[in-house]
């Protein structure tokens, strides 16, 4: 891998991480704390939505983000020719 490709690969990786961590921050901190009073006017499974995001929703979103990261990194690895297959 050339130094230019290595820098582009690292830049793409960091960009993906920034996007996914921003989503996680918005869901866990924004929905679970900042917007909780507004979201609590809705309910999900019998619980106020803000409470649900604080207790379970952010964990579910984090798990989905892990799979999205793995999928996108596999795609990125193939794109730059550093995949394991």
């Amino acid at each position: 891998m050339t130094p230019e490709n290595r820098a582009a690969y690292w830049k793409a990786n960091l960009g993906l991480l920034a996007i996914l961590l921003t989503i996680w921050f918005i869901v866990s901190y924004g929905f679970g704390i900042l917007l909780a009073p507004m979201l609590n006017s809705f309910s999900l499974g019998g619980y106020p939505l803000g409470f649900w995001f604080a207790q379970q929703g952010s964990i579910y979103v984090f798990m989905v983000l892990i799979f999205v990261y793995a999928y996108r990194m596999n795609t990125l690895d193939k794109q730059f020719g550093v995949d394991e297959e």
Side-chain angles (χ1 to χ4, degrees):
M1 182 182 276
T2 65
E4 293 84 19
N5 280 349
R6 193 174 305 144
Y9 177 80
W10 187 240
K11 183 178 179 181
N13 186 5
L14 290 180
L16 177 62
L17 279 174
I19 291 169
L20 296 178
L21 288 176
T22 301
I23 291 170
W24 188 37
F25 176 78
I26 290 170
V27 169
S28 63
Y29 190 73
F31 292 172
I33 297 172
L34 295 177
L35 299 175
M38 183 181 72
L39 292 174
N40 283 339
S41 61
F42 305 101
S43 65
L44 180 66
Y47 296 101
L49 189 58
F51 175 79
W52 185 84
F53 268 111
Q55 298 300 314
Q56 294 181 355
S58 60
I59 295 170
Y60 291 148
V61 170
F62 182 66
M63 291 174 60
V64 169
L65 292 178
I66 289 171
F67 288 110
V68 169
Y69 178 74
Y71 175 76
R72 291 291 298 142
M73 282 307 297
N74 281 335
T75 304
L76 196 63
D77 288 349
K78 289 178 185 172
Q79 180 182 347
F80 283 89
V82 292
D83 57 328
E84 296 174 357
E85 297 175 10

